[in-house]
Amino acid sequence: MAEVKIRRLWKEYGAQVVLENLNLTIADGEFVTIVGASGCGKTTFLKMLLGVEKPTRGEILLDGQPLVYEPAPDRGIVFQRYSLFPHLTVTENLLLGLELAHSRVLGRLFGRARRQALERARALLEEIGLYTARDKYPSQLSGGMQQRLSIAQSVICQPKILLLDEPFGALDPGITADMHEIILRLWEANRMTVFMVTHDVKESFQLGTRLLVFDKKRHDPQAPEAYGATVTYDIPLNRNRYPIAA
Amino acid sequence: MPRLVNLHPSRGTGLLLGLLPFVILVFAYVLGSNARLAENPDDKLLPAPSSFVETINKYAFEEDRRSGQRLWWVDTGASLKRLLVALTLSAALGLALGLAIGAIPYVRSLLLPFVAAFGMIPPLAILPILFIVLGLGETAKVALIVIGITPIVVRDIALRASEIPSEQLIKAQTLGASSWLLAVRVLLPQLLPRLIDTIRLNLGCAWLFLIAAEAIASTEGLGYRIFLVRRYMAMDVILPYVAWITALAFFMDYALRRARRALFPWAESV
Ligand SMILES: Nc1ncnc2c1ncn2[C@@H]1O[C@H](COP(=O)(O)OP(=O)(O)OP(=O)(O)O)[C@@H](O)[C@H]1O
Ligand SMILES: [Mg+2]
């Protein structure tokens, strides 16, 4: 879990202002859902939290410390696609985070350490309903299975913050209910601060403990690039949920 | 009536169809050979199939009168050794450089333009330099092959490395990967299948360079033999040697394809 403070954050690409003057304080263990029009800068916002894009102005504080602008194990990410490793089986994909963290030279675990890691992976696989597919390669999984695995892959490293960029966007509406249950369970069990971008307004209300709507406050029809989006609505939701209630 | 593009031959039919061009080639040769020999029994251009059997017997199973060796196998061993040493070196060098170029932007800026320019040198044009600098021994022949195909391997591997989605690399970093671990656990394993593909595609070039080097300066080898007997227009030696080289190359290609499938099952569907 981590508290995230964002102060006077601006992001510009050349002459285009994408985000302007964001000021937010996100409490420990919050489940933040983010909605907004296409192209308004939601992915850009996540990329800055992840550390692959730098803000043009302003700062992001993580538990009071300035954010390190490089991806790091305290911030997990689930992209819409391509975040699994095609050369590793389901189990190996899940194991990878533990191996990278504990074996800095070979990136592999052996003997007892490996058995313990496998035990953890196994428990997580059962929780997300992928145990029977444990020896398959990602290309042999359905879209929903791939996203579940990708989420679990991040969660096993126990990040303080989990970033989700439209993780269920490409999925059949029929299976999103299962996905919601899994993500909520993992969030509660691992006490992470979650940021989830979605196109689905209903989903954002169901899942979040706080909903952010990104939109442009000012608009110049002659120069659409002159003004960026900012948070126009900031709505607390589901306040009774653990772990914020705790 | 289904469209032609949707009609698939059965396994047996497919096999027969695959054999058909070979059968036609052999048949055409025998016809041509017979016709020429009927006109002139001393014709050297298209020797009778029976003379191939004689030559192969003489070269492969009888000791040469002068050297006391079975020339066919001496030549095969010498050529294969040069080829395999060169291919191993090219693969290792190509993989290491390609990975470094593909993964590390600084190395990319440093080496990619150089490798691209170096790859434009026609290898045969510098063969004399190799013979002058490295002597007429094995080193120069191996060096020609390595110089000829390594730049292609490097560039292909670097290209493949840059095709790996950035999402994967970012994800691995959020799982704690250092640059080194990124290379050995994420990039390298995904580059190996492509390395096999690249080597397969470059086999033809490798044989070309090998035979060129052997033709110019050698004392044994498949290419050396072909160019040696050319003086006597010994088609009965040249044709079996060419067929043998083709068979060896075909088998190497097949073995690499099988190895890829066995070693990297995940790469079949991506
Ligand atoms: N690397 C970049 N260089 C230049 N402009 C960029 C870059 N990345 C994003 N942009 C611009 O920033 C704006 C916001 O992009 P972003 O991907 O954050 O939108 P989004 O809100 O995630 O949209 P969507 O809902 O469609 O995914 C877009 O107008 C895009 O053109
Ligand atoms: Mg986006």
Side-chain angles (χ1 to χ4, degrees):
Chain A
M1 292 211 288
E3 186 200 54
V4 179
K5 257 205 185 93
I6 291 161
R7 290 219 204 105
R8 289 193 293 280
L9 191 78
W10 291 69
K11 180 66 191 178
E12 292 158 19
Y13 287 111
Q16 183 190 4
V17 182
V18 177
L19 292 170
E20 61 176 49
N21 203 23
L22 285 184
N23 287 287
L24 288 165
T25 300
I26 310 288
D28 255 1
E30 198 93 60
F31 195 127
V32 181
T33 47
I34 301 169
V35 294
S38 180
C40 76
K42 304 179 299 292
T43 298
T44 306
F45 179 66
L46 284 195
K47 280 185 177 166
M48 286 193 286
L49 287 173
L50 183 61
V52 296
E53 285 284 351
K54 269 192 185 165
T56 316
R57 263 167 285 158
E59 58 179 354
I60 303 175
L61 300 176
L62 229 168
D63 284 331
Q65 299 297 313
L67 187 101
V68 180
Y69 286 101
E70 207 185 8
D74 57 352
R75 283 159 280 152
I77 176 88
V78 175
F79 294 105
Q80 209 165 347
R81 40 201 297 229
Y82 298 131
S83 36
L84 293 171
F85 301 98
H87 60 295
L88 301 176
T89 63
V90 168
T91 304
E92 289 167 341
N93 260 288
L94 206 46
L95 224 48
L96 186 68
L98 299 175
E99 293 186 304
L100 294 174
H102 295 111
S103 166
R104 302 303 292 170
V105 178
L106 293 178
R108 285 177 193 279
L109 295 175
F110 301 97
R112 230 188 75 173
R114 184 178 166 81
R115 278 197 302 280
Q116 284 172 349
L118 274 171
E119 206 43 55
R120 261 178 82 183
R122 185 201 161 109
L124 201 49
L125 281 176
E126 272 169 0
E127 204 175 328
I128 60 171
L130 280 183
Y131 188 67
T132 49
R134 63 190 177 279
D135 292 325
K136 289 193 171 171
Y137 288 103
S139 62
Q140 299 167 314
L141 302 179
S142 72
M145 292 160 102
Q146 292 186 11
Q147 286 310 73
R148 269 180 279 165
L149 179 58
S150 183
I151 293 169
Q153 191 178 38
S154 288
V155 167
I156 204 169
C157 288
Q158 299 178 308
K160 293 198 249 174
I161 297 180
L162 183 62
L163 307 167
L164 306 159
D165 193 358
E166 300 186 35
F168 315 132
L171 300 185
D172 197 288
I175 54 170
T176 45
D178 295 344
M179 304 293 289
H180 290 174
E181 199 194 312
I182 286 170
I183 186 72
L184 283 178
R185 211 158 6 131
L186 291 174
W187 168 63
E188 286 175 7
N190 292 278
R191 308 177 65 90
M192 306 169 286
T193 307
V194 174
F195 289 82
M196 174 167 154
V197 170
T198 173
H199 265 141
D200 183 344
V201 177
K202 192 169 149 234
E203 179 175 84
S204 70
F205 274 94
Q206 278 174 354
L207 286 179
T209 60
R210 187 165 172 186
L211 170 62
L212 302 179
V213 180
F214 279 34
D215 203 357
K216 292 189 182 187
K217 272 194 177 141
R218 305 174 285 175
H219 195 80
D220 181 349
Q222 254 66 53
E225 303 203 328
Y227 300 112
T230 190
V231 175
T232 50
Y233 292 93
D234 184 344
I235 309 165
L237 301 162
N238 307 312
R239 300 312 289 181
N240 55 346
R241 265 210 205 117
Y242 180 85
I244 8 166
Chain B
M1 185 66 193
R3 293 176 184 79
L4 192 57
V5 289
N6 293 327
L7 289 173
H8 297 277
S10 71
R11 230 184 119 79
T13 317
L15 214 63
L16 279 180
L17 282 174
L19 279 174
L20 192 62
F22 292 97
V23 174
I24 292 176
L25 182 69
V26 171
F27 192 66
Y29 181 89
V30 172
L31 278 186
S33 166
N34 279 349
R36 285 185 76 99
L37 288 173
E39 219 167 86
N40 171 14
D42 290 330
D43 181 69
K44 292 204 125 184
L45 203 61
L46 300 179
S50 61
S51 65
F52 292 143
V53 178
E54 263 168 53
T55 316
I56 293 173
N57 205 17
K58 190 175 119 206
Y59 273 75
F61 303 111
E62 287 168 21
E63 282 166 14
D64 180 46
R65 250 175 295 140
R66 249 184 327 139
S67 61
Q69 289 173 316
R70 293 183 173 85
L71 292 178
W72 183 280
W73 304 111
V74 172
D75 291 335
T76 304
S79 289
L80 281 185
K81 198 174 136 212
R82 288 166 191 147
L83 197 70
L84 293 181
V85 169
L87 285 177
T88 310
L89 281 175
S90 297
L93 211 61
L95 186 63
L97 282 176
L99 174 60
I101 289 174
I104 307 170
Y106 268 90
V107 178
R108 185 184 193 83
S109 300
L110 178 74
L111 288 183
L112 195 60
F114 179 75
V115 172
F118 191 84
M120 291 301 154
I121 301 174
L124 288 178
I126 57 166
L127 184 56
I129 305 178
L130 294 178
F131 280 137
I132 294 167
V133 175
L134 300 172
L136 297 179
E138 297 300 294
T139 321
K141 299 182 196 66
V142 170
L144 177 71
I145 304 173
V146 172
I147 288 172
I149 69 175
T150 306
I152 308 175
V153 178
V154 173
R155 291 173 71 184
D156 198 44
I157 294 293
L159 191 67
R160 174 71 189 106
S162 62
E163 282 167 10
I164 292 175
S166 63
E167 283 93 338
Q168 259 188 54
L169 304 181
I170 293 171
K171 177 93 184 198
Q173 293 176 59
T174 67
L175 300 178
S178 58
S179 298
W180 164 251
L181 287 175
L182 214 51
V184 294
R185 288 296 324 260
V186 179
L187 292 170
L188 186 66
Q190 295 193 62
L191 295 176
L192 289 174
R194 179 70 158 252
L195 181 67
I196 293 189
D197 292 340
T198 310
I199 294 296
R200 277 180 68 195
L201 290 174
N202 277 304
L203 274 181
C205 280
W207 276 100
L208 167 74
F209 295 136
L210 174 74
I211 289 168
E214 287 181 343
I216 293 172
S218 196
T219 50
E220 75 280 295
L222 297 166
Y224 161 76
R225 192 71 52 200
I226 291 176
F227 277 80
L228 181 76
V229 302
R230 179 189 60 111
R231 288 177 228 161
Y232 321 112
M233 278 186 61
M235 289 294 265
D236 61 326
V237 179
I238 295 177
L239 286 176
Y241 261 72
V242 171
W244 177 234
I245 290 172
T246 312
L248 288 174
F250 189 84
F251 175 76
M252 287 165 86
D253 183 71
Y254 175 77
L256 284 172
R257 185 157 54 98
R258 291 302 295 261
R260 186 193 199 269
R261 201 178 296 169
L263 293 173
F264 313 110
W266 56 269
E268 292 301 307
S269 47
V270 281

